[in-house]
Amino acid sequence: MIVSTLVDSNVLLDVFLAAKCFVTYRRLGGVKRSPPPDFYIGAHAAVAGLALLTRDARRYRKYFPKLRIIAP
């Protein structure tokens, strides 16, 4: 039996953008070894063209400057 997987290209776009932001994070001195969940959330919102409602606007603006942010 052959098992195959169909991948929605949006998943790849989100992951590639999250990885790009993670590289920037590491170059700026970040110490985490894997991308924080915020990077996946920000990447998904950016790729989907959605606004992001967050209390952590500074972090998202730093790594996703084109992302439309709604902050209280």
Side-chain angles (χ1 to χ4, degrees):
M1 178 169 109
I2 298 175
V3 177
S4 42
T5 303
L6 180 64
V7 177
D8 180 351
S9 64
N10 289 331
V11 172
L12 295 178
L13 294 174
D14 295 354
V15 174
F16 291 162
L17 179 57
K20 180 180 175 184
C21 291
F22 182 65
V23 167
T24 301
Y25 162 81
R26 292 288 296 198
R27 285 185 181 149
L28 293 173
V31 296
K32 293 188 178 183
R33 293 184 173 256
S34 62
D38 294 357
F39 287 0
Y40 293 108
I41 293 166
H44 182 76
V47 169
L50 302 171
L52 181 65
L53 176 63
T54 181
R55 290 185 179 182
D56 194 6
R58 183 184 310 174
R59 179 181 181 103
Y60 283 104
R61 284 188 180 116
K62 182 175 184 176
Y63 294 104
F64 300 94
K66 295 180 182 178
L67 183 61
R68 194 168 40 126
I69 305 266
I70 301 169

